[in-house]
Amino acid sequence: METRVSSPTREVFIGDGHPTVLIGERINPAGKKKLAEALKAGNLEVVHREALAQAQAGADILDVSVGTFGVNEVKLLPQAVKTVMDTVDIPLCLDSAVPEALEAALKVYKGKPLINSVTGEERSLARVLPLVKEYGAAVIGLVQDEKGIPKDSERRIAIAHKLVEKATAFGIAQEDIIIDCLAFAVGADPGSGTAVIDTIRKIKAELGVNLTLGASNVSFGLPDRSLLNNAFVVMAVAAGVTCLIVDAAKIRPAVVAADLILGRDKHARRYIDSYRQRQRLQKQEG
Amino acid sequence: METRVSSPTREVFIGDGHPTVLIGERINPAGKKKLAEALKAGNLEVVHREALAQAQAGADILDVSVGTFGVNEVKLLPQAVKTVMDTVDIPLCLDSAVPEALEAALKVYKGKPLINSVTGEERSLARVLPLVKEYGAAVIGLVQDEKGIPKDSERRIAIAHKLVEKATAFGIAQEDIIIDCLAFAVGADPGSGTAVIDTIRKIKAELGVNLTLGASNVSFGLPDRSLLNNAFVVMAVAAGVTCLIVDAAKIRPAVVAADLILGRDKHARRYIDSYRQRQRLQKQEG
């Protein structure tokens, strides 16, 4: 199954036949005090800089979120989206828990975006799916519902089935739904890593849809977070995840290595290019 | 299934309920000119130093091989094994393609060793299995036979079945057979990574035996070999490999991270210990 998203000048394909797609996570004020302050002041300079840096680090798509206390997302999200579109030419992922903000961003976006996200909650389904359909977007579906995020694999898989059923009943193509299995911090719950990997494998086998993961949570509260995040994305990619919401600068080398091992990088061209690029950067910095 | 190996003072358990066991690969003259020269001259000082370094780097078992052109393994392997036993107190893996050398080493070894290796070839089975049985050892079985190493998963799995059948018919317990699925260089054959991971999963599901892998081959001929080796061992461990033949100093951090994600490291104790140890080493060096 292949998900296509686009900007006015570029298409990105997500699916098993392609290298793992990296969705840059850094335009998001959660846990970033400086960015949150700038957004509250309506200052989009940091957004511009982060967009540029992530595209240079090899992000294929950029997630754009302005959701933080004190920000009017309906007003600011479309402005941030315009700023990013003026900065880079890669497709965007419009990220908000406020459907009105998503709609305002969809109105200004040029191309076929990803929407982040819809959940299994009736209210979310009823409000977000019509937007996905009307604007011809693709959407990330989170495996959570009115009862929160289930710990067990079975209930997560059941929500994934529900998301796909509701969306297709709405006339949305199955390839335009990407399921996010939601990773937890392994430091807090030792069984959560295996549960997520297991959920990924089963959803892949049962539904065949594309899968994504926000992979930085897994290392929360532990030292050497990159080491743990790298190991986790490698496992996730091997289990069937086809796109990742990550810090591309930190995660790309491990993902490129995983793709090479999994036969998604003929003649190791991408692996060697990525290596040479890191060598150049090191020389410039050192 | 649980494989036990031992030295006079230590036991090591290999199996799903345990952290991944690291078998240090560095006492092996293949591709190491200096070590090969020393061994030809009967000088075991390098063997002593490598044993010490690997145990300090966190190897749980040490592989001991002296196989190189110009060396009488029957004479030298038991001497090398004695040297390593005098240096460290962890169990050993006796490594030779010469059955007489294995037997000479078994005669001097104290404890229950691993033997590396038996293959699916009739000649190897007939010569090595009696040694495994007589000395109460555990053995690594390579998925290769008279026709070489099969490329396809099906034939590798068939050889694994044959190895287990022949060994158990000989009165060797199934937990004393560890299958090595034999990793190839992914630079030379883009499909080989997936083939090995697939083989691991299937042998695990069909036979339930412990599995090992010599994981350094995978990166042969490519730059930044550690990056690729790390990604590969993480995938291998997630797929079901329970011990690895590797350079422990380089590979241990990634394996410890993988074990934590897979729920084999309660309270992240091993992960945090490993982190602190690296911090101390960096301070000493820097």
Side-chain angles (χ1 to χ4, degrees):
Chain A
M1 205 165 304
E2 195 174 65
T3 308
R4 186 186 67 87
V5 293
S6 69
S7 71
T9 54
R10 289 230 221 165
E11 282 185 322
V12 169
F13 293 95
I14 300 165
D16 280 329
H18 302 278
T20 306
V21 167
L22 299 181
I23 304 171
E25 70 176 6
R26 291 188 51 85
I27 304 175
N28 188 326
K32 293 198 195 78
K33 219 178 164 183
K34 244 176 143 175
L35 178 57
E37 291 302 324
L39 291 175
K40 267 184 248 181
N43 176 357
L44 294 169
E45 177 58 26
V46 192
V47 168
H48 165 76
R49 281 207 310 270
E50 281 291 0
L52 212 55
Q54 289 182 96
Q56 280 171 346
D60 304 294
I61 294 173
L62 293 185
D63 187 271
V64 183
S65 163
V66 297
T68 189
F69 186 76
V71 157
N72 178 351
E73 289 191 55
V74 182
K75 195 178 147 226
L76 197 62
L77 188 59
Q79 289 177 12
V81 165
K82 275 189 200 166
T83 299
V84 179
M85 283 195 296
D86 288 344
T87 308
V88 297
D89 67 348
I90 59 181
L92 303 186
C93 177
L94 314 177
D95 184 352
S96 178
V98 181
E100 292 75 16
L102 288 176
E103 184 158 21
L106 283 162
K107 279 182 180 156
V108 303
Y109 186 73
K110 294 186 178 72
K112 179 185 177 187
L114 254 177
I115 291 178
N116 189 5
S117 56
V118 67
T119 74
E121 293 165 276
E122 291 302 335
R123 208 178 43 176
S124 172
L125 291 163
R127 195 64 185 84
V128 178
L129 292 184
L131 295 177
V132 177
K133 175 75 181 159
E134 185 183 346
Y135 289 89
V139 66
I140 294 175
L142 310 184
V143 290
Q144 68 179 62
D145 61 12
E146 284 80 1
K147 292 174 192 155
I149 306 171
K151 275 204 166 191
D152 57 303
S153 196
E154 284 65 33
R155 283 193 47 226
R156 289 191 192 197
I157 295 166
I159 299 175
H161 276 276
K162 181 184 174 183
L163 283 161
V164 170
E165 275 162 28
K166 293 276 182 181
T168 48
F170 219 92
I172 296 164
Q174 194 160 338
E175 57 261 34
D176 284 332
I177 306 144
I178 298 176
I179 299 293
D180 185 336
C181 294
L182 298 170
F184 281 115
V186 291
D189 176 3
S192 66
T194 322
V196 168
I197 299 295
D198 193 40
T199 308
I200 292 166
R201 280 211 192 107
K202 285 182 181 153
I203 293 179
K204 189 83 173 191
E206 291 178 19
L207 286 163
V209 292
N210 278 309
L211 291 153
T212 190
L213 214 51
S216 308
N217 277 348
V218 75
S219 60
F220 186 78
L222 288 164
D224 207 351
R225 294 186 63 171
S226 276
L227 176 68
L228 211 50
N229 291 347
N230 279 341
F232 188 64
V233 298
V234 166
M235 277 187 209
V237 166
V241 158
T242 43
C243 55
L244 291 160
I245 307 172
V246 288
D247 186 339
K250 288 184 185 159
I251 289 292
R252 194 166 188 270
V255 173
V256 168
D259 281 345
L260 172 57
I261 294 167
L262 296 170
R264 294 175 195 162
D265 184 8
K266 270 194 185 167
H267 310 298
R269 201 163 290 162
R270 193 157 150 265
Y271 182 81
I272 290 167
D273 282 350
S274 164
Y275 169 72
R276 286 188 182 144
Q277 200 189 342
R278 289 199 303 284
Q279 294 283 96
R280 276 196 301 273
L281 276 173
Q282 275 177 10
K283 269 186 198 163
Q284 281 169 19
E285 284 166 5
Chain B
M1 204 165 304
E2 196 175 64
T3 309
R4 185 186 68 86
V5 292
S6 69
S7 71
T9 55
R10 289 230 220 165
E11 281 185 321
V12 169
F13 294 95
I14 301 165
D16 280 329
H18 302 278
T20 307
V21 166
L22 300 181
I23 305 170
E25 70 176 5
R26 291 188 51 84
I27 304 175
N28 188 327
K32 294 198 195 78
K33 218 177 165 184
K34 244 175 143 176
L35 179 57
E37 291 302 324
L39 291 175
K40 267 183 249 181
N43 177 358
L44 293 169
E45 177 57 29
V46 193
V47 169
H48 166 75
R49 281 207 311 270
E50 281 291 1
L52 211 57
Q54 290 183 95
Q56 280 172 346
D60 305 293
I61 295 174
L62 293 185
D63 188 272
V64 183
S65 163
V66 297
T68 188
F69 186 76
V71 158
N72 177 351
E73 289 191 54
V74 182
K75 194 177 149 228
L76 197 62
L77 188 60
Q79 290 177 9
V81 164
K82 276 189 199 167
T83 299
V84 179
M85 284 195 295
D86 288 343
T87 309
V88 297
D89 67 348
I90 59 181
L92 303 187
C93 178
L94 315 177
D95 184 352
S96 177
V98 181
E100 291 75 17
L102 289 175
E103 185 160 20
L106 283 162
K107 279 183 181 157
V108 302
Y109 186 73
K110 293 186 179 71
K112 181 187 175 187
L114 255 177
I115 290 177
N116 191 3
S117 55
V118 67
T119 73
E121 292 165 276
E122 291 302 334
R123 208 178 43 176
S124 173
L125 291 163
R127 196 65 185 82
V128 179
L129 293 183
L131 295 176
V132 177
K133 176 75 180 159
E134 185 184 345
Y135 289 88
V139 66
I140 295 175
L142 311 184
V143 291
Q144 67 179 63
D145 61 13
E146 284 79 3
K147 291 174 192 153
I149 306 171
K151 276 206 164 188
D152 57 304
S153 198
E154 284 65 33
R155 282 193 47 225
R156 289 191 192 196
I157 295 166
I159 299 175
H161 276 276
K162 181 183 173 183
L163 283 162
V164 170
E165 276 162 28
K166 294 275 181 180
T168 49
F170 219 91
I172 297 164
Q174 195 160 336
E175 57 262 33
D176 284 331
I177 306 143
I178 298 176
I179 300 293
D180 184 336
C181 294
L182 298 172
F184 281 117
V186 291
D189 176 3
S192 66
T194 323
V196 168
I197 299 296
D198 193 41
T199 308
I200 292 166
R201 280 211 191 106
K202 285 184 181 153
I203 293 179
K204 189 82 170 192
E206 292 177 18
L207 286 163
V209 291
N210 279 308
L211 290 154
T212 191
L213 213 52
S216 308
N217 278 347
V218 75
S219 60
F220 186 77
L222 288 163
D224 207 351
R225 294 186 64 171
S226 276
L227 176 68
L228 210 51
N229 291 347
N230 279 341
F232 188 64
V233 297
V234 166
M235 279 187 208
V237 167
V241 158
T242 43
C243 56
L244 292 159
I245 307 172
V246 289
D247 187 339
K250 289 185 186 158
I251 287 291
R252 195 168 186 270
V255 173
V256 168
D259 281 346
L260 172 57
I261 294 168
L262 296 170
R264 295 176 195 161
D265 183 9
K266 270 194 184 165
H267 310 298
R269 201 163 290 160
R270 192 156 151 267
Y271 181 82
I272 291 167
D273 281 350
S274 164
Y275 169 73
R276 287 188 181 144
Q277 201 190 343
R278 288 200 302 285
Q279 294 283 97
R280 276 196 301 274
L281 275 174
Q282 275 177 11
K283 269 186 199 164
Q284 282 170 20
E285 285 166 4

